[in-house]
Amino acid sequence: MPKTFLITGANRGIGLEMTRQAVARGDRVIACTRNALESSDLVALAKQNDSITVLGLDVCAEKDMKQIAVGMKRPIDILVCNAGALNSYGGLQAADHDTASIANVLMTNIAGVFFTARSFLSHVLDGTPGKIAIISSIMGSQELADSNAPIYRASKAAATNLARSMAVELAPQGVAVGAYHPGWVRTDMGGPQAITSPQDSAAGLLTRFDALSLATTGIYEDFQGNKLPF
Ligand SMILES: NC(=O)c1ccc[n+]([C@@H]2O[C@H](COP(=O)([O-])OP(=O)(O)OC[C@H]3O[C@@H](n4cnc5c(N)ncnc54)[C@H](OP(=O)(O)O)[C@@H]3O)[C@@H](O)[C@H]2O)c1
């Protein structure tokens, strides 16, 4: 039975590759981008495949997102909160930890996940079954703390925490929620030295989303199914 995904940040990186692979295996994707005019790779992919619907969506703009959600009548089987931002790999003293960039990371990686889940919850409740996958990071693990990128780490710790809260809140309604580390992936964010290809990451993540159920809700694992310490 083909599934319907909604993926945020689907215009590049891991989100674009998940979109490509989901439709290649017969699923449908509502592929979200905050700037469709600058999303040439996604638009080209959608032109070749009518299982992709391109949707303009900024995860920080909750009012707009709610309006879009109200106008959208399709059920969502897997809501993937993938859009993310990283401002600095530096530590406490790094100059790029400025107010505006910190606000953007916290809004995108924390509030953006919350707004996306809240806006599309009714669609997920209509899914068969509806699930929510939050793309977090191993960098949000508090047991695996390290000395760089403290704001990004804090934001991803919060994203994992949101997944845990939502898992508890939504289990009675039949919705499973998971938090995922996609690997260190060769994207604009991960950089060219990263060890995992977008293809391997996306393939692993889609398999993990398939495996997510009410029996495993609240899970925090990587794209290969290895459980991560909180
Ligand atoms: N790459 C890695 O090694 C790695 C490791 C761990 C976790 N992750 C996580 O995996 C996810 C995908 O990362 P990636 O490597 O594919 O990053 P990427 O190549 O930098 O792509 C980030 C995506 O998020 C979108 N985005 C950012 N802010 C947004 C907003 N306000 N509204 C809507 N979309 C927004 C970007 O859209 P624009 O093109 O419009 O900016 C882009 O599509 C992120 O959550 C990231 O934190 C990545």
Side-chain angles (χ1 to χ4, degrees):
M1 188 59 181
K3 297 183 188 348
T4 299
F5 286 74
L6 184 145
I7 302 176
T8 62
N11 56 302
R12 59 189 170 98
I14 300 164
L16 179 64
E17 188 56 32
M18 286 192 286
T19 300
R20 187 177 282 125
Q21 292 190 22
V23 295
R25 70 181 201 176
D27 292 329
R28 295 174 289 253
V29 180
I30 302 162
C32 303
T33 170
R34 59 180 163 171
N35 191 343
L37 292 177
E38 287 179 14
S39 302
S40 50
D41 291 342
L42 175 61
V43 170
L45 186 65
K47 275 194 182 142
Q48 295 160 13
N49 199 317
D50 56 16
S51 298
I52 300 175
T53 306
V54 176
L55 190 66
L57 198 89
D58 182 332
V59 299
C60 298
E62 192 193 14
K63 207 167 150 219
D64 297 348
M65 188 151 42
K66 274 195 167 152
Q67 270 183 356
I68 290 164
V70 165
M72 203 182 86
K73 302 297 175 207
R74 300 167 63 182
I76 295 170
D77 300 312
I78 306 181
L79 177 69
V80 186
C81 300
N82 166 74
L86 181 150
N87 61 329
S88 170
Y89 278 111
L92 266 179
Q93 304 292 353
D96 40 10
H97 275 129
D98 59 278
T99 305
S101 77
I102 290 172
N104 183 51
V105 169
L106 300 183
M107 279 300 291
T108 307
N109 297 358
I110 308 173
V113 169
F114 185 78
F115 293 155
T116 305
R118 179 154 82 171
S119 300
F120 293 101
L121 179 59
S122 64
H123 305 75
V124 173
L125 289 170
D126 288 340
T128 48
K131 310 182 196 183
I132 300 176
I134 295 174
I135 306 302
S136 181
S137 171
I138 199 170
M139 289 175 76
S141 166
Q142 305 183 102
E143 282 188 44
L144 303 176
D146 210 334
S147 59
N148 66 344
I151 292 296
Y152 179 77
R153 286 178 186 278
S155 75
K156 290 301 190 179
T160 303
N161 190 274
L162 274 177
R164 298 284 289 178
S165 301
M166 285 187 212
V168 175
E169 182 177 344
L170 300 179
Q173 295 169 79
V175 175
V177 185
Y180 298 90
H181 171 55
W184 181 26
V185 189
R186 287 189 294 279
T187 61
D188 293 337
M189 185 183 290
Q193 324 84 322
I195 55 178
T196 303
S197 67
Q199 291 76 13
D200 287 349
S201 174
L205 288 170
L206 294 185
T207 304
R208 300 325 306 160
F209 304 160
D210 289 341
L212 176 65
S213 71
L214 287 175
T216 59
T217 192
I219 201 160
Y220 176 37
E221 64 180 5
D222 72 9
F223 72 113
Q224 294 171 316
N226 300 303
K227 300 235 177 357
L228 297 174
F230 291 95

